[in-house]
Amino acid sequence: MIVLGIESSCDETGVALVATAGAQVPVLRAHALHSQIEMHQAYGGVVPELASRDHIRRVLPLAQQVLAESGCALREVDVVAYTRGPGLAGALLVGAGVACALGAALGKPVLGVHHLEGHLLSPFLSQDPPRFPFIALLVSGGHTQLMQVEGVGRYRMLGETIDDAAGEAFDKSAKLLGLSYPGGPALSQLAQQGDPTAFKLPRPLLHSGDLDFSFAGLKTAVLTQVNKLGPQLEERKADLAASTEAAIVEVLVKKSLAALERSALDRIVVAGGVGANRRLRAQLDAACGKRGVRVHYPELSLCTDNGAMIALAAAMRLQAGVQEARADYAFDVKPRWPLEAITSA
Ligand code: KG4
Ligand code: ZN
């Protein structure tokens, strides 16, 4: 079975082809991505209307590129998958509309995918794919969640952020430090030259006894330091970046370890954009290594939004029999869509 996947939930247009054989983990045949970062940079964040228009421009050329690279003809595609949500409504509608139009033209069924399930399953495309069950730490621009994953479509929420997401904490702190959008990678880069112990910043909910997160207070603490430093900010910027990163990472690592302990599982998957963070990877690897826990990541290029994870999630849902592709071509998008809504057990 060949699945064409389209991702257009936010500021990256992604298209990919995966192929399945029986119950084996799907294989990525080709993927192509266009990031809108440069376009939104002038505005300091994503402008939804510009995002939608750019997705329209990019999606078909990217699909053609993927078909050419994979050596696959359009008529060989068996299912067209798209991101149904969560995300920006207008941006989602582009992917959904194009997927359904393609499906209708080809006479092939379509399938709407949950963006976070895509992130969650993306490590299955890595050299070292996980096995079920595992703990998943999902850390993106809009979500911070710890889940127990029993199988495809079987996700149990263990804890999540009560305010800002981890990626949001990176992005907002970066903005306060005068770094350009998207702040996460920029702050992380600057942090490499700084001292992570230079500033005492709060570790919210570290000892709360549950698996929830809160990052809104950290942003306020960073703002307080920025105001205190005044003109000295420039020379202490790297230290403040390193201290901010250390605070976010420490909370993510400690809560992940607590989730592993509670569930008695010995595997964890880290997915979502913040999963690209070097400090998070180093600290989690070190802590899990000591405990005999295996840590799985998506390939670095598949950490942030991409079409491969959408094609993969669709293929795995079809393989597991938890969803059927439909050929009525009536589509809706779900800008707000909790992952629990697609959980079968
Ligand atoms: O998963 P993603 O691409 O999009 C969402 O679904 O939200 O995640 C984007 C988030 C942004 O907040 C970005 O700043 C953050 O991931 N991010 C990072 C790094 N790379 C991306 N945060 C920290 N360190 C990084 N290296
Ligand atoms: Zn994402």
Side-chain angles (χ1 to χ4, degrees):
M1 178 177 58
I2 292 180
V3 180
L4 179 75
I6 299 174
E7 153 65 28
S8 70
S9 67
C10 189
D11 56 355
E12 335 262 352
T13 322
V15 181
L17 259 190
V18 302
T20 62
Q24 280 169 18
V25 176
V27 175
L28 181 60
R29 295 271 298 267
H31 85 111
L33 192 73
H34 175 79
S35 171
Q36 303 178 352
I37 284 177
E38 228 170 273
M39 183 180 75
H40 296 297
Q41 223 147 26
Y43 306 92
V46 179
V47 184
E49 185 57 29
L50 292 182
S52 312
R53 285 165 191 248
D54 203 58
H55 286 307
I56 293 172
R57 251 200 318 265
R58 308 288 176 181
V59 65
L60 287 178
L62 286 173
Q64 274 158 350
Q65 186 183 331
V66 159
L67 289 166
E69 274 172 28
S70 65
C72 183
L74 192 54
R75 63 175 187 285
E76 292 175 77
V77 170
D78 297 300
V79 175
V80 186
Y82 61 94
T83 307
R84 189 177 175 207
L88 301 169
L92 289 165
L93 279 167
V94 176
V98 168
C100 289
L102 267 179
L106 296 169
K108 299 290 172 65
V110 299
L111 192 147
V113 171
H114 196 293
H115 180 84
L116 294 181
E117 187 175 42
H119 276 303
L120 190 73
L121 298 175
S122 59
F124 279 96
L125 289 176
S126 70
Q127 301 287 343
D128 177 30
R131 269 184 298 123
F132 297 116
F134 53 77
I135 292 295
L137 172 67
L138 237 169
V139 273
S140 69
H143 295 84
T144 302
Q145 302 178 327
L146 272 164
M147 263 168 299
Q148 185 159 333
V149 178
E150 300 291 341
V152 178
R154 294 169 61 204
Y155 314 121
R156 192 156 66 83
M157 193 67 67
L158 303 176
E160 60 187 323
T161 184
I162 58 170
D163 42 52
D164 290 355
E168 218 174 338
F170 269 106
D171 295 341
K172 288 180 176 171
S173 303
K175 208 167 197 173
L176 292 171
L177 292 179
L179 303 173
S180 65
Y181 154 88
L187 188 143
S188 171
Q189 182 120 26
L190 181 63
Q192 284 179 49
Q193 300 146 36
D195 172 8
T197 63
F199 292 91
K200 266 203 159 50
L201 296 173
R203 268 70 171 155
L205 299 190
L206 190 59
H207 302 294
S208 60
D210 57 25
L211 297 173
D212 287 336
F213 302 87
S214 164
F215 291 107
L218 180 64
K219 170 191 62 194
T220 313
V222 172
L223 177 63
T224 307
Q225 291 297 341
V226 167
N227 288 337
K228 240 198 235 170
L229 285 167
Q232 280 154 18
L233 174 64
E234 213 41 51
E235 64 200 59
R236 302 296 310 280
K237 220 176 189 172
D239 285 344
L240 190 49
S243 303
T244 306
E245 182 180 59
I248 298 170
V249 167
E250 185 180 340
V251 179
L252 293 176
V253 171
K254 291 254 165 78
K255 296 266 174 170
S256 299
L257 295 177
L260 284 158
E261 212 158 281
R262 278 186 198 193
S263 62
L265 291 176
D266 60 0
R267 260 188 301 276
I268 182 165
V269 154
V270 182
V274 182
N277 184 269
R278 284 194 200 184
R279 186 179 176 91
L280 174 63
R281 287 185 173 220
Q283 303 249 317
L284 201 61
D285 286 347
C288 288
K290 268 192 229 154
R291 291 165 174 79
V293 170
R294 293 280 307 277
V295 192
H296 297 269
Y297 302 96
E299 299 293 329
L300 260 185
S301 62
L302 301 183
C303 266
T304 45
D305 295 347
N306 62 82
M309 68 185 198
I310 300 307
L312 171 80
M316 289 181 79
R317 287 183 76 78
L318 290 167
Q319 280 178 320
V322 295
Q323 190 174 346
E324 280 176 14
R326 292 167 31 174
D328 57 11
Y329 310 117
F331 64 89
D332 63 349
V333 295
K334 292 184 169 286
R336 291 175 184 276
W337 195 18
L339 192 60
E340 292 96 308
I342 59 154
T343 297
S344 52

